[in-house]
Amino acid sequence: MTNPEEAIAAPAADAPAAAAKAPKAPKEKKEKPKKEPKAEGDAKKSGGGAAGGDNKGLGLRNSKKDNFGDWYSELVVASELISYYDVSGCYILRPWAYAMWEVVQGWFDQRIKKLGVQNSYFPLFITEDVLNTEKDHVEGFAPEVAWVTKYGNSTMEKPIAIRPTSETVMYPYFSQWIRSHRDLPLRLNQWTNVVRWEFKYPTPFIRSREFLWQEGHTAFATQEEAEREVLDILELYRGVYEDLLAVPVTKGKKSKKEQFAGAFYTTTVEAYIPETGRGIQGATSHCLGQNFSKMFNITYEDDDRQKQHVWQNSWGLTTRSLGVMIMTHADDKGLVLPPRVAPKQVVIIPIPKASTAPEAVQAMLDKVDEMTKALEAAGVRVVTDTRSNYTPGWKYNHWELKGLPLRMELGPKDMDNAAVMTCRRDTGAKEVVPWADVATRIPQLLETIQADMFAAAKARTANCTETCHSWEEFMAALNNKHMALTPWADEEEIEEEVKKKSTTPDAMGAKTLCLPFEAPPLPEGTKCFYSGKPAKNWALWGRSY
Ligand code: 87F
């Protein structure tokens, strides 16, 4: 039987469904065949040996520094986050990945509910007529819309679209449900999958044809309330990245060229991957103004019985966030998970010697049990690895590959000393913790790891951001895989020109990632790095995903 994991070697011939009026699709890029890495099997073989023996140098075949793309593909499979699937651009999120998505969901969901947002669920399918209600903004995205054209052996009378986003699904009902100012604000969110038939090269988590996200859609009586929410949500997105995933982001506004076409303006959190030198959009929070309420006729009667169009926002965060976290922290041994998002934070491994007496082995196992209970009571997510058919060295490799933040080893010496040896995944630093301190010291260590991982990532990003006042400085920064922060006259045509001019045979052109909210002062008379005209603001530029 064919191993389904190998099926990826033959990319699916899934030609885009021919949709009525659907524009011609660009030619599909075939996904590079992926081979299943056998990191674990190898580790087991070479990791064997004396109990307690250190098993060094057995990580992934590819290195993060030398071949980033292959390293990432190998990593997500070997660490059991992802399995490839026989529809190109679609991936299976295995429990290790899904558990992290659940942590992100829980974190964000709890906070939006505190803001007054309610969850709901709207259908997956959209009729062509409804999708075309707001043709203008859909037009640019039309090639990515997937259509159902058949059921059984019959052809659908009218093809039905699969949601790429839900504005057109939800707003007709906003129009029905909102009558008076008493119906406002209306603040809805849904956790769903969406489908966008992407033609750019797919990458697990980062760009896939089906992905999971939350989409928030809200309506207010006033501009002021709507704008406050845009920033409240953006701050939560910063929190997801920085406080949960330990990934530094830059908050800012998108340029006119890069914003969502349907929006009044778009705000964003932007992350950066040093190894590829590419910026990546983390999540967006849009102020839609009254653009959609005018299209969908969403009005309320004010106190003077006058009809007013509502002010709307929409905002979205996807499973891409996990990909950015993985790319940021993982190394040549595997994942390195920030404790707050790690499905399991600590692994306890007993390491009896072959010569250890059965009663002593039992005492060791009892101690493992006791520590597990104490840690769980302290709110720590613990896994114990008492399997006797694997060597300690193999287990170290395994849990390193899975990215567990902290390992606790309990050997005969530790039993004598009433202590346990700990080893940090992020730094490899070891520390002896007396049994009596386990329930207090381990949670502290986890918080330290979280903070150190964020600080390290933040320093790396800061080192890769260059302030540039000229084209030469700008190109030097880009070609050094850095981002460029420049004074900017904020002209859309110039942004297009910069993109073209910065395209090289080996690298894509640069675009503005955002106009950062926090930027250095811009003294009167500062000139745009490109046009020499008076600068209006700072812009953060980069090649990007
Ligand atoms: C692809 C196909 C059709 C993005 C698309 O950012 C339509 C679209 O409207 C589309 N890709 N977009 C923009 C989505 C805007 C907005 N929607 C709610 C968000 C956040 C969540």
Side-chain angles (χ1 to χ4, degrees), residues 131 134 137-146 162-167 171 195-198 211 213-217 237 260-262 266 281 283-286 288 292 313-317:
L131 191 70
E134 33 109 40
H137 107 259
V138 165
E139 217 159 48
F141 296 120
E144 291 181 7
V145 177
I162 303 174
R163 70 174 160 232
T165 180
S166 302
E167 281 79 358
Y171 297 167
V195 171
R196 295 179 184 174
W197 218 253
E198 294 268 4
F211 57 86
W213 75 346
Q214 61 66 219
E215 52 178 324
H217 294 268
Y237 288 155
F260 168 38
T266 294
Q281 181 175 296
T284 46
S285 175
H286 312 281
L288 303 177
F292 284 86
N313 296 332
S314 78
W315 27 274
L317 168 81

Side-chain angles (χ1 to χ4, degrees), residues 423-451:
C423 179
R424 285 172 61 161
R425 176 65 181 88
D426 62 330
T427 59
K430 296 198 166 196
E431 179 181 320
V432 175
V433 177
W435 290 343
D437 299 345
V438 161
T440 52
R441 182 61 190 144
I442 301 298
Q444 277 173 4
L445 264 172
L446 291 172
E447 274 306 296
T448 306
I449 293 170
Q450 180 83 31

Side-chain angles (χ1 to χ4, degrees), residues 126-142 145 164-172 217 260-263 288 291-296:
I126 317 177
T127 62
E128 197 174 7
D129 292 347
V130 166
L131 191 70
N132 284 334
T133 328
E134 33 109 40
K135 242 191 175 141
D136 284 354
H137 107 259
V138 165
E139 217 159 48
F141 296 120
V145 177
T165 180
S166 302
E167 281 79 358
T168 57
V169 179
M170 295 168 89
Y171 297 167
H217 294 268
F260 168 38
L288 303 177
N291 296 349
F292 284 86
S293 62
K294 286 178 181 162
M295 272 184 290
F296 285 86

Side-chain angles (χ1 to χ4, degrees), residues 326-339:
I326 295 159
M327 287 184 169
T328 300
H329 298 300
D331 63 19
D332 289 352
K333 289 178 171 182
L335 297 173
V336 183
L337 301 179

